[in-house]
Amino acid sequence: MSKSVKQADLEKFMKLEEGKRNRIINAAMKEFRYGYKKASTDAIVKEAGISKGLLYHYFGSKEQLYIFLARYANDLIHSGYYEMLDEGNADILEVFWQAALLKKDLISQHPYLHDFTNGVYVHMDDAPAMEAELLAQEAQATYNELYALCELNLFREDIDAEKAVDIIALTMDSLIDGEQHDDYEQFLDSLRGYLEIFRTCFYKKEAKDK
């Protein structure tokens, strides 16, 4: 069993100057994006421009660094989703649009954030016990809350609204959580086009005109 991270050490890390803190986080996300076992702390400290001793001072071990990073990434993403929940938006197309804008904001700060979180789930058997499964459960709970807010009465009465939601969700999740987008503005234009097609095909006339 590896040594647990001391809360005081994590607090010291989070109080680091933002640029230095993000440099360490981003270097770790970049290295861990292909799984826990393949990652090298040597590569992380080289990328971050710090000593290995300093890395272990804050996190204690490679395992605890990974667990911190997974928790940090999960909290960062889902705090944004919970803000969307608080806004109470009932239009699922608008929810997905806001999710895409949220991703744009997050990757401007942490370019490897979604590569890392996807890697956590893809390499779940490779990760420290229970962490990835716990994060996956929390993510699903958040998505369920988002979808529960959406009003099915926006959809045409002659289609199965729940199946339409499934089609939208599968398409949007694939687009938003796909590979890194080099030109994010171009991606947003493409996404907007899909959303307009769904609005035209699935929504009542009064909902289309909003």
Side-chain angles (χ1 to χ4, degrees), residues 98-206:
Q98 293 300 323
L101 296 179
L102 172 64
K103 179 177 179 180
K104 179 185 178 184
D105 289 342
L106 292 179
I107 65 174
S108 68
Q109 184 178 18
H110 298 299
Y112 297 98
L113 175 65
H114 283 267
D115 286 345
F116 168 72
T117 54
N118 287 341
V120 170
Y121 304 134
V122 170
H123 303 285
M124 193 173 293
D125 293 339
D126 175 52
M130 293 182 63
E131 190 66 20
E133 182 177 353
L134 177 62
L135 295 182
Q137 290 172 355
E138 291 181 0
Q140 189 60 53
T142 304
Y143 297 146
N144 289 343
E145 289 183 69
L146 279 174
Y147 296 150
L149 284 178
C150 298
E151 295 182 1
L152 297 185
N153 62 9
L154 295 175
F155 291 86
R156 288 166 32 199
E157 295 177 356
D158 60 335
I159 65 171
D160 187 320
E162 292 185 0
K163 285 186 172 60
V165 169
D166 288 341
I167 292 170
I168 294 169
L170 287 170
T171 304
M172 293 298 100
D173 285 346
S174 176
L175 288 169
I176 293 173
D177 293 330
E179 295 180 1
Q180 194 83 356
H181 305 285
D182 295 330
D183 186 340
Y184 209 83
E185 291 300 330
Q186 183 178 6
F187 163 72
L188 290 178
D189 286 341
S190 175
L191 181 64
R192 189 183 292 110
Y194 278 97
L195 294 176
E196 288 308 311
I197 290 172
F198 286 137
R199 189 177 298 277
T200 299
C201 292
F202 293 148
Y203 276 25
K204 296 176 182 176
K205 184 178 186 305
E206 55 269 30

Side-chain angles (χ1 to χ4, degrees), residues 37-49:
K37 291 180 182 178
K38 291 182 179 179
S40 163
T41 53
D42 288 334
I44 293 172
V45 297
K46 182 178 180 180
E47 178 83 11

Side-chain angles (χ1 to χ4, degrees), residues 14-27:
M14 295 306 296
K15 289 179 181 178
L16 286 175
E17 183 270 325
E18 183 179 11
K20 183 176 183 179
R21 185 177 70 244
N22 284 345
R23 192 165 66 247
I24 296 170
I25 289 172
N26 291 338

